[in-house]
Amino acid sequence: MTATGEDHVTARGGPWWWGRRRSAVFDVSLAAVSALECALEGIPFARDAGIPVAAGVVFGALAGSVLLVRRRWPIAVVLVAIAVTPAEMGLMMGVVGLYTLAAAELPRRIIASLAGMSLVGTLIVTFVKTRQDMARGDLELGDWFVPFAAITMSLGFTAPPVLLGLYVGARRRLMESLRERADSLERELQLLAERAEERAEWARNEERTRIAREMHDVVAHRVSLMVVHAAALQAVARKDPEKAVRNAALVGDMGRQALTELREMLGVLRSGGDERRERAASVPLAAVGAAAAAAASRAADDDGPCLAEIEELVGQSAAAGMVVDLSVQGDVRSYAPVVEQTAYRVVQEALTNVHKHAAGAKTYVRLAHRVSEIAMQVENEPPEEAASSARLPSGGNGLVGMKERVSALGGLFVSGPTDAGGFRVSAVIPAS
């Protein structure tokens, strides 16, 4: 982030109280000129006061050199200028001091008080000096000239530096405020960019998880049934050739369906990658995930799975040798597509887990249509010891995926073993 404001000024460095070396050189030059001026004006002051000329010169030089600290102590400079006004010296010091005082960040009452003191001092000294000159005959003008000259001189040496200092100080404070606001805005933009990047990364991770969950739900079920049918085919190939032929046909149908669905999802993902390369910009992963999820949801037809297909899903498991009982309670009605798809996936994944972990166990599938929600439960009894296992691999993501789906719709998901030694999966999804 580019440094601005005070950090930028002080970064260049300067001696003592100066922020920059250029400012130090400028103030030293002003102090030298002011000291020279006051030293020269100290000569007539020493003669009029009856003191040694050298003392007047030294006094004037010391008084004029106070201008060196105008940035650090502007009040002191103005007070010294007011103090030496009766000696008719320090004109430059008074003007520069008033400008610095007005430009400094000091209360307005202090600036007004010191400016008023300087105005009154200059007014009195000019008034007295002009009367003395007229009394000696150096000026041959009317009496009106004395107050006119005093007022004009005092205002001329006081008002312009004060007004200019107030303007410069206000402009300086405005610029500092703008720099601070620019720095604050830059920090806020950087923070917003970091938060946007975090949100984008979170969205990418969410969509990756969603794509993986869709692929798992669609492909794993059919592949699991294929493995079950293949195991049954191996067992009855010689004993019952007709049943072996039916199982072989089912394996072929399941394989073709799984291959079709997998090809659809890979096609969506591949087309998304092609569009990113063509446009030379990243396509939002949310769009790819949504398209993949839509493609993955088409298990039976183009509209995606629905509750009406639960009976067919149960029939597929029964054809694979599972003893499964389906019961439906309540008035059957339609729900939002996402609700029906989620309910279908929960039952589908639960039946897949039964094939994997409890082959041969009797399974109960229950659906309950309630007033404002739909409930489903898949429970299996303990598998028989003599039952053959298809030895299906498990990635441990099925239950996690079901819970994520149900929770995303504001529902409740519970799973765990039963007291009888079986396993139960229950879910309740709001109807709207």
Side-chain angles (χ1 to χ4, degrees):
M1 184 174 66
T2 305
T4 59
E6 184 178 356
D7 294 338
H8 177 70
V9 174
T10 56
R12 303 178 62 175
W16 295 341
W17 54 83
W18 287 284
R20 294 177 295 181
R21 291 187 176 88
R22 184 176 64 181
S23 300
V25 172
F26 182 72
D27 285 355
V28 169
S29 301
L30 284 179
V33 174
S34 177
L36 179 60
E37 176 200 3
C38 292
L40 295 177
E41 293 173 345
I43 297 176
F45 168 72
R47 292 174 179 171
D48 295 339
I51 60 176
V53 176
V57 172
V58 172
F59 173 75
L62 292 176
S65 62
V66 175
L67 203 58
L68 186 67
V69 297
R70 71 181 184 94
R71 297 179 189 267
R72 187 67 179 273
W73 297 293
I75 297 178
V77 174
V78 175
L79 290 176
V80 172
I82 295 173
V84 299
T85 299
E88 299 182 10
M89 64 173 61
L91 177 61
M92 177 182 177
M93 179 174 57
V95 172
V96 177
L98 287 174
Y99 163 79
T100 307
L101 178 71
E105 295 183 1
L106 294 173
R108 292 297 178 87
R109 62 179 183 275
I110 296 179
I111 298 175
S113 299
L114 293 176
M117 293 171 60
S118 178
L119 175 66
V120 172
T122 306
L123 178 65
I124 294 174
V125 171
T126 306
F127 184 85
V128 173
K129 178 65 176 176
T130 305
R131 283 185 63 88
Q132 291 177 351
D133 292 340
M134 293 185 66
R136 288 196 301 265
D138 296 337
L139 295 175
E140 296 180 357
L141 296 172
D143 295 337
W144 61 268
F145 182 74
V146 176
F148 173 77
I151 295 173
T152 303
M153 293 289 291
S154 59
L155 289 177
F157 288 119
T158 304
V162 171
L163 295 178
L164 180 61
L166 291 175
Y167 167 75
V168 172
R171 184 175 181 274
R172 182 186 303 152
R173 287 187 289 272
L174 176 61
M175 295 301 296
E176 291 176 356
S177 175
L178 293 177
R179 280 193 292 266
E180 291 177 358
R181 292 177 60 184
D183 289 342
S184 177
L185 180 60
E186 187 174 0
R187 288 191 295 269
E188 290 179 1
L189 290 177
Q190 185 177 4
L191 182 59
L192 289 176
E194 293 175 356
R195 291 181 177 176
E197 181 63 26
E198 292 176 359
R199 288 193 296 268
E201 183 63 25
W202 177 83
R204 286 192 290 268
N205 293 335
E206 286 293 315
E207 290 306 319
R208 290 190 187 99
T209 303
R210 181 180 178 184
I211 293 172
R213 184 168 61 244
E214 293 292 342
M215 295 184 68
H216 174 274
D217 291 344
V218 171
V219 180
H221 178 72
R222 300 195 182 280
V223 173
S224 299
L225 292 179
M226 288 171 58
V227 175
V228 172
H229 282 296
L233 176 62
Q234 183 180 4
V236 301
R238 295 181 180 179
K239 299 178 181 179
D240 192 349
E242 294 182 1
K243 188 175 181 179
V245 172
R246 290 196 302 270
N247 287 340
L250 288 174
V251 170
D253 292 339
M254 293 292 178
R256 282 188 290 271
Q257 291 176 6
L259 183 61
T260 299
E261 293 169 357
L262 181 61
R263 188 174 296 159
E264 287 179 358
M265 286 185 290
L266 294 178
V268 171
L269 296 176
R270 186 178 294 111
S271 63
D274 294 339
E275 292 177 1
R276 285 196 295 269
R277 288 189 293 271
E278 291 175 1
R279 292 184 298 179
S282 63
V283 174
L285 189 57
V288 179
S297 299
R298 292 191 295 267
D301 52 29
D302 293 336
D303 295 332
C306 59
L307 290 176
E309 300 172 11
I310 292 291
E311 186 174 354
E312 180 184 353
L313 179 66
V314 171
Q316 293 176 356
S317 296
M322 177 187 294
V323 180
V324 56
D325 178 66
L326 173 63
S327 64
V328 179
Q329 300 176 357
D331 297 332
V332 179
R333 64 182 188 275
S334 60
Y335 301 89
V338 65
V339 174
E340 296 202 9
Q341 292 175 16
T342 301
Y344 180 92
R345 294 303 185 197
V346 170
V347 176
Q348 182 187 56
E349 180 60 27
L351 292 176
T352 302
N353 288 340
V354 175
H355 284 295
K356 289 182 179 179
H357 307 291
K362 186 174 182 179
T363 305
Y364 303 91
V365 178
R366 302 182 181 91
L367 290 179
H369 298 272
R370 300 171 182 171
V371 177
S372 59
E373 62 188 15
I374 178 174
M376 65 221 67
Q377 178 178 287
V378 178
E379 180 181 350
N380 63 273
E381 297 179 352
E384 299 179 1
E385 296 181 0
S388 61
S389 174
R391 296 181 182 180
L392 295 172
S394 176
N397 297 318
L399 294 176
V400 176
M402 285 189 284
K403 186 175 182 179
E404 290 176 350
R405 284 179 178 273
V406 174
S407 299
L409 298 179
L412 178 63
F413 179 85
V414 179
S415 63
T418 62
D419 296 336
F423 198 85
R424 181 187 298 118
V425 172
S426 301
V428 179
I429 305 175
S432 57

PDB file of all heavy atoms in Angstrom, residues 239-254:
ATOM      1  N   LYS A 239     -26.282 -73.093 -11.189  1.00  0.00           N
ATOM      2  CA  LYS A 239     -27.491 -73.681 -10.626  1.00  0.00           C
ATOM      3  C   LYS A 239     -28.747 -73.246 -11.373  1.00  0.00           C
ATOM      4  O   LYS A 239     -29.650 -74.042 -11.609  1.00  0.00           O
ATOM      5  CB  LYS A 239     -27.614 -73.301  -9.150  1.00  0.00           C
ATOM      6  CG  LYS A 239     -26.457 -73.813  -8.303  1.00  0.00           C
ATOM      7  CD  LYS A 239     -26.643 -73.352  -6.848  1.00  0.00           C
ATOM      8  CE  LYS A 239     -25.472 -73.838  -5.988  1.00  0.00           C
ATOM      9  NZ  LYS A 239     -25.601 -73.401  -4.585  1.00  0.00           N
ATOM     10  N   ASP A 240     -28.847 -71.956 -11.710  1.00  0.00           N
ATOM     11  CA  ASP A 240     -30.059 -71.414 -12.330  1.00  0.00           C
ATOM     12  C   ASP A 240     -29.662 -70.520 -13.498  1.00  0.00           C
ATOM     13  O   ASP A 240     -29.503 -69.297 -13.359  1.00  0.00           O
ATOM     14  CB  ASP A 240     -30.861 -70.621 -11.293  1.00  0.00           C
ATOM     15  CG  ASP A 240     -32.257 -70.278 -11.796  1.00  0.00           C
ATOM     16  OD1 ASP A 240     -32.517 -70.460 -13.000  1.00  0.00           O
ATOM     17  OD2 ASP A 240     -33.085 -69.809 -10.978  1.00  0.00           O
ATOM     18  N   PRO A 241     -29.448 -71.087 -14.675  1.00  0.00           N
ATOM     19  CA  PRO A 241     -29.011 -70.293 -15.834  1.00  0.00           C
ATOM     20  C   PRO A 241     -29.975 -69.168 -16.199  1.00  0.00           C
ATOM     21  O   PRO A 241     -29.544 -68.079 -16.599  1.00  0.00           O
ATOM     22  CB  PRO A 241     -28.914 -71.345 -16.950  1.00  0.00           C
ATOM     23  CG  PRO A 241     -28.731 -72.648 -16.237  1.00  0.00           C
ATOM     24  CD  PRO A 241     -29.542 -72.526 -14.973  1.00  0.00           C
ATOM     25  N   GLU A 242     -31.278 -69.408 -16.050  1.00  0.00           N
ATOM     26  CA  GLU A 242     -32.234 -68.346 -16.421  1.00  0.00           C
ATOM     27  C   GLU A 242     -32.079 -67.132 -15.507  1.00  0.00           C
ATOM     28  O   GLU A 242     -32.094 -65.980 -15.964  1.00  0.00           O
ATOM     29  CB  GLU A 242     -33.659 -68.896 -16.345  1.00  0.00           C
ATOM     30  CG  GLU A 242     -33.955 -69.979 -17.377  1.00  0.00           C
ATOM     31  CD  GLU A 242     -35.392 -70.451 -17.298  1.00  0.00           C
ATOM     32  OE1 GLU A 242     -36.130 -69.906 -16.438  1.00  0.00           O
ATOM     33  OE2 GLU A 242     -35.783 -71.318 -18.093  1.00  0.00           O
ATOM     34  N   LYS A 243     -31.950 -67.379 -14.217  1.00  0.00           N
ATOM     35  CA  LYS A 243     -31.733 -66.254 -13.292  1.00  0.00           C
ATOM     36  C   LYS A 243     -30.397 -65.578 -13.556  1.00  0.00           C
ATOM     37  O   LYS A 243     -30.267 -64.354 -13.417  1.00  0.00           O
ATOM     38  CB  LYS A 243     -31.787 -66.765 -11.847  1.00  0.00           C
ATOM     39  CG  LYS A 243     -31.757 -65.657 -10.820  1.00  0.00           C
ATOM     40  CD  LYS A 243     -31.934 -66.190  -9.410  1.00  0.00           C
ATOM     41  CE  LYS A 243     -31.936 -65.060  -8.385  1.00  0.00           C
ATOM     42  NZ  LYS A 243     -32.121 -65.562  -6.992  1.00  0.00           N
ATOM     43  N   ALA A 244     -29.414 -66.351 -13.940  1.00  0.00           N
ATOM     44  CA  ALA A 244     -28.110 -65.772 -14.274  1.00  0.00           C
ATOM     45  C   ALA A 244     -28.228 -64.838 -15.466  1.00  0.00           C
ATOM     46  O   ALA A 244     -27.610 -63.771 -15.517  1.00  0.00           O
ATOM     47  CB  ALA A 244     -27.096 -66.885 -14.550  1.00  0.00           C
ATOM     48  N   VAL A 245     -29.044 -65.247 -16.453  1.00  0.00           N
ATOM     49  CA  VAL A 245     -29.245 -64.383 -17.624  1.00  0.00           C
ATOM     50  C   VAL A 245     -29.929 -63.083 -17.223  1.00  0.00           C
ATOM     51  O   VAL A 245     -29.567 -61.993 -17.682  1.00  0.00           O
ATOM     52  CB  VAL A 245     -30.063 -65.141 -18.698  1.00  0.00           C
ATOM     53  CG1 VAL A 245     -30.448 -64.187 -19.829  1.00  0.00           C
ATOM     54  CG2 VAL A 245     -29.253 -66.295 -19.250  1.00  0.00           C
ATOM     55  N   ARG A 246     -30.959 -63.186 -16.338  1.00  0.00           N
ATOM     56  CA  ARG A 246     -31.645 -61.961 -15.887  1.00  0.00           C
ATOM     57  C   ARG A 246     -30.697 -61.038 -15.128  1.00  0.00           C
ATOM     58  O   ARG A 246     -30.708 -59.815 -15.320  1.00  0.00           O
ATOM     59  CB  ARG A 246     -32.840 -62.343 -15.006  1.00  0.00           C
ATOM     60  CG  ARG A 246     -33.977 -63.004 -15.776  1.00  0.00           C
ATOM     61  CD  ARG A 246     -35.258 -63.001 -14.952  1.00  0.00           C
ATOM     62  NE  ARG A 246     -35.078 -63.693 -13.683  1.00  0.00           N
ATOM     63  CZ  ARG A 246     -35.295 -65.010 -13.515  1.00  0.00           C
ATOM     64  NH1 ARG A 246     -35.693 -65.771 -14.545  1.00  0.00           N
ATOM     65  NH2 ARG A 246     -35.144 -65.555 -12.320  1.00  0.00           N
ATOM     66  N   ASN A 247     -29.871 -61.652 -14.262  1.00  0.00           N
ATOM     67  CA  ASN A 247     -28.903 -60.819 -13.521  1.00  0.00           C
ATOM     68  C   ASN A 247     -27.887 -60.180 -14.459  1.00  0.00           C
ATOM     69  O   ASN A 247     -27.483 -59.031 -14.258  1.00  0.00           O
ATOM     70  CB  ASN A 247     -28.196 -61.666 -12.471  1.00  0.00           C
ATOM     71  CG  ASN A 247     -29.096 -62.007 -11.300  1.00  0.00           C
ATOM     72  OD1 ASN A 247     -30.112 -61.341 -11.072  1.00  0.00           O
ATOM     73  ND2 ASN A 247     -28.747 -63.051 -10.559  1.00  0.00           N
ATOM     74  N   ALA A 248     -27.465 -60.908 -15.456  1.00  0.00           N
ATOM     75  CA  ALA A 248     -26.514 -60.341 -16.415  1.00  0.00           C
ATOM     76  C   ALA A 248     -27.132 -59.165 -17.156  1.00  0.00           C
ATOM     77  O   ALA A 248     -26.471 -58.149 -17.420  1.00  0.00           O
ATOM     78  CB  ALA A 248     -26.063 -61.426 -17.395  1.00  0.00           C
ATOM     79  N   ALA A 249     -28.428 -59.315 -17.529  1.00  0.00           N
ATOM     80  CA  ALA A 249     -29.103 -58.208 -18.213  1.00  0.00           C
ATOM     81  C   ALA A 249     -29.221 -56.994 -17.298  1.00  0.00           C
ATOM     82  O   ALA A 249     -29.030 -55.844 -17.736  1.00  0.00           O
ATOM     83  CB  ALA A 249     -30.485 -58.669 -18.677  1.00  0.00           C
ATOM     84  N   LEU A 250     -29.531 -57.239 -16.019  1.00  0.00           N
ATOM     85  CA  LEU A 250     -29.608 -56.122 -15.080  1.00  0.00           C
ATOM     86  C   LEU A 250     -28.257 -55.440 -14.910  1.00  0.00           C
ATOM     87  O   LEU A 250     -28.178 -54.209 -14.828  1.00  0.00           O
ATOM     88  CB  LEU A 250     -30.120 -56.632 -13.723  1.00  0.00           C
ATOM     89  CG  LEU A 250     -31.597 -57.009 -13.654  1.00  0.00           C
ATOM     90  CD1 LEU A 250     -31.921 -57.627 -12.295  1.00  0.00           C
ATOM     91  CD2 LEU A 250     -32.476 -55.786 -13.894  1.00  0.00           C
ATOM     92  N   VAL A 251     -27.195 -56.242 -14.837  1.00  0.00           N
ATOM     93  CA  VAL A 251     -25.851 -55.641 -14.723  1.00  0.00           C
ATOM     94  C   VAL A 251     -25.558 -54.776 -15.933  1.00  0.00           C
ATOM     95  O   VAL A 251     -25.014 -53.666 -15.818  1.00  0.00           O
ATOM     96  CB  VAL A 251     -24.790 -56.752 -14.557  1.00  0.00           C
ATOM     97  CG1 VAL A 251     -23.389 -56.169 -14.681  1.00  0.00           C
ATOM     98  CG2 VAL A 251     -24.952 -57.436 -13.216  1.00  0.00           C
ATOM     99  N   GLY A 252     -25.921 -55.262 -17.112  1.00  0.00           N
ATOM    100  CA  GLY A 252     -25.685 -54.458 -18.312  1.00  0.00           C
ATOM    101  C   GLY A 252     -26.472 -53.165 -18.300  1.00  0.00           C
ATOM    102  O   GLY A 252     -25.952 -52.099 -18.650  1.00  0.00           O
ATOM    103  N   ASP A 253     -27.763 -53.244 -17.901  1.00  0.00           N
ATOM    104  CA  ASP A 253     -28.577 -52.027 -17.837  1.00  0.00           C
ATOM    105  C   ASP A 253     -28.018 -51.031 -16.822  1.00  0.00           C
ATOM    106  O   ASP A 253     -27.921 -49.823 -17.098  1.00  0.00           O
ATOM    107  CB  ASP A 253     -30.016 -52.395 -17.462  1.00  0.00           C
ATOM    108  CG  ASP A 253     -30.711 -53.170 -18.573  1.00  0.00           C
ATOM    109  OD1 ASP A 253     -30.239 -53.069 -19.719  1.00  0.00           O
ATOM    110  OD2 ASP A 253     -31.700 -53.878 -18.270  1.00  0.00           O
ATOM    111  N   MET A 254     -27.660 -51.527 -15.642  1.00  0.00           N
ATOM    112  CA  MET A 254     -27.088 -50.644 -14.621  1.00  0.00           C
ATOM    113  C   MET A 254     -25.789 -50.009 -15.110  1.00  0.00           C
ATOM    114  O   MET A 254     -25.531 -48.819 -14.896  1.00  0.00           O
ATOM    115  CB  MET A 254     -26.838 -51.429 -13.334  1.00  0.00           C
ATOM    116  CG  MET A 254     -28.092 -51.905 -12.641  1.00  0.00           C
ATOM    117  SD  MET A 254     -29.041 -50.534 -11.959  1.00  0.00           S
ATOM    118  CE  MET A 254     -30.439 -51.434 -11.286  1.00  0.00           C
TER     119      MET A 254
END
